[in-house]
Amino acid sequence: MKFRMKCPHCNSLMEAEEEWIGQTTQCPLCSTEIVIQKTELSHEPEHGGTPVSSAPAVSSPPAGLSTAEIVFLYLFMIIPCTGLFTLIACVVLYFCWTASQPEKTRILIRHTLVAALIGIVTTIAISFMLTLTAGLLRSSYDDNGEKARGMACMSNMKQIMLAVKMYSEDHSEKFPDRSGAAGLEMLRRENYLDDPRVYVCLSAGTTPADAGKPLTEDHVSYIYIGGFDENSDPDQGVLFCPHHKDCVKVGLIDGTTISKFGKEYNTVHGILEKEGILKQLDRFSRDTREYIRKKLEE
């Protein structure tokens, strides 16, 4: 049997069943928790209001969020990096609404946590994609830069080998007999190739010598092995650039310049061994042997 009762907080009029007496429910208007009990009421509703049902908490449907509230919440929280604001948002929601609307607060916090999780996952995914893209772009940039430096290096070595061949024509078909910077200085000093920038590979990071100044090991990035002549094996390398990964550029006695690939060319020892220089140490002068020893120790 139904009876009428008032909310002790907002005085709104409600209807309830007698079997609900003693149970706890929420006022449909002010959301305050009240205990269902019979009270003496006048026959007419106060303030001309219409009685509203006050079903007990065990059978009443949970409070919910409006569609607009949920959409706004998710649109805000899934923005990358907003996951860090989750704790602050939950604390604010707790203190603002727990006292008056506990059920709505719980739903709002649950949606906030889910949306924040989406935001964190989105942030991680975007960060990963940006890192991957940056890596690919840098790799492409490095590859293009290395190709350009390799072409410039090959041009330098061709000029050096041309100068060596010109020197041999004027010196009984003998190449400069000294090694390293000392041998290349013979070309510069006699004006076969006087541009100091040609003796430096861009991949080495070596600073060229000042114009008109003698070449030293600090201003030369190429390895030159002296003591050969035009009668030597034309495929024998005498000029080497060790500053390219898995690759060495070689100037041959016949004047050509080629690139050779392989992991064995990653070290000076591997280059000189592969090109047969170490097998011929006995034929070189003491100065050349000392130069080779220093290069192997670098």
Side-chain angles (χ1 to χ4, degrees):
M1 181 176 178
K2 292 184 178 181
F3 66 92
R4 295 178 179 180
M5 61 173 287
K6 285 184 179 181
C7 172
H9 296 278
C10 65
N11 290 324
S12 60
L13 195 60
M14 299 174 288
E15 285 186 349
E17 298 286 347
E18 288 187 350
E19 59 264 26
W20 295 348
I21 294 175
Q23 297 187 36
T24 302
T25 186
Q26 284 186 340
C27 174
L29 297 182
C30 68
S31 299
T32 302
E33 290 190 359
I34 58 176
V35 178
I36 298 175
Q37 57 186 353
K38 275 191 174 183
T39 57
E40 293 296 329
L41 300 173
S42 61
H43 295 289
E44 295 297 327
E46 294 185 6
H47 309 297
T50 302
V52 294
S53 176
S54 59
V58 294
S59 60
S60 60
L65 299 177
S66 67
T67 303
E69 290 175 319
I70 295 177
V71 170
F72 175 80
L73 177 65
Y74 275 78
L75 285 178
F76 172 75
M77 291 304 296
I78 64 176
I79 298 174
C81 301
T82 57
L84 297 177
F85 297 104
T86 302
L87 179 60
I88 298 176
C90 290
V91 171
V92 171
L93 291 173
Y94 178 81
F95 283 106
C96 288
W97 290 308
T98 297
S100 60
Q101 303 185 51
E103 184 62 24
K104 186 171 183 178
T105 301
R106 287 192 291 270
I107 295 174
L108 196 56
I109 291 176
R110 184 169 65 249
H111 281 296
T112 302
L113 292 174
V114 172
L117 179 61
I118 295 174
I120 293 172
V121 172
T122 304
T123 301
I124 294 174
I126 292 177
S127 299
F128 174 77
M129 293 301 298
L130 290 176
T131 302
L132 180 62
T133 302
L136 293 175
L137 290 176
R138 179 168 183 174
S139 177
S140 176
Y141 174 80
D142 290 344
D143 289 344
N144 291 335
E146 177 57 27
K147 288 180 181 179
R149 291 189 293 270
M151 293 176 63
C153 177
M154 188 71 77
S155 174
N156 289 347
M157 294 185 69
K158 286 180 179 179
Q159 294 183 65
I160 294 173
M161 290 310 302
L162 178 60
V164 169
K165 299 292 282 185
M166 293 171 61
Y167 179 95
S168 70
E169 291 178 0
D170 297 335
H171 295 80
S172 303
E173 298 187 343
K174 294 179 182 286
F175 293 173
D177 58 358
R178 303 193 65 181
S179 297
L184 299 177
E185 168 62 14
M186 296 171 68
L187 300 177
R188 188 206 67 81
R189 187 175 60 244
E190 299 186 30
N191 295 320
Y192 290 100
L193 185 61
D194 59 1
D195 186 351
R197 295 172 298 179
V198 178
Y199 299 100
V200 172
C201 173
L202 295 178
S203 294
T206 304
T207 303
D210 294 333
K213 299 292 184 179
L215 298 177
T216 65
E217 291 300 329
D218 292 334
H219 303 295
V220 171
S221 58
Y222 297 108
I223 297 175
Y224 172 72
I225 306 298
F228 291 97
D229 55 41
E230 294 287 358
N231 296 322
S232 302
D233 181 2
D235 293 329
Q236 173 64 57
V238 296
L239 184 68
F240 309 96
C241 181
H243 303 290
H244 305 276
K245 184 178 180 181
D246 298 339
C247 168
V248 63
K249 300 190 184 304
V250 183
L252 305 178
I253 285 180
D254 65 2
T256 59
T257 305
I258 62 175
S259 295
K260 296 186 178 182
F261 299 89
K263 293 188 179 297
E264 61 269 26
Y265 294 119
N266 279 339
T267 63
V268 172
H269 184 279
I271 292 172
L272 297 182
E273 182 178 34
K274 190 71 174 177
E275 293 302 310
I277 298 297
L278 298 184
K279 295 179 181 178
Q280 307 179 58
L281 283 179
D282 293 340
R283 64 159 293 175
F284 297 122
S285 66
R286 185 178 63 181
D287 290 342
T288 295
R289 291 198 299 270
E290 182 65 17
Y291 169 76
I292 293 174
R293 183 186 66 80
K294 290 181 179 179
K295 284 296 179 183
L296 293 176
E297 292 177 351
E298 290 181 355

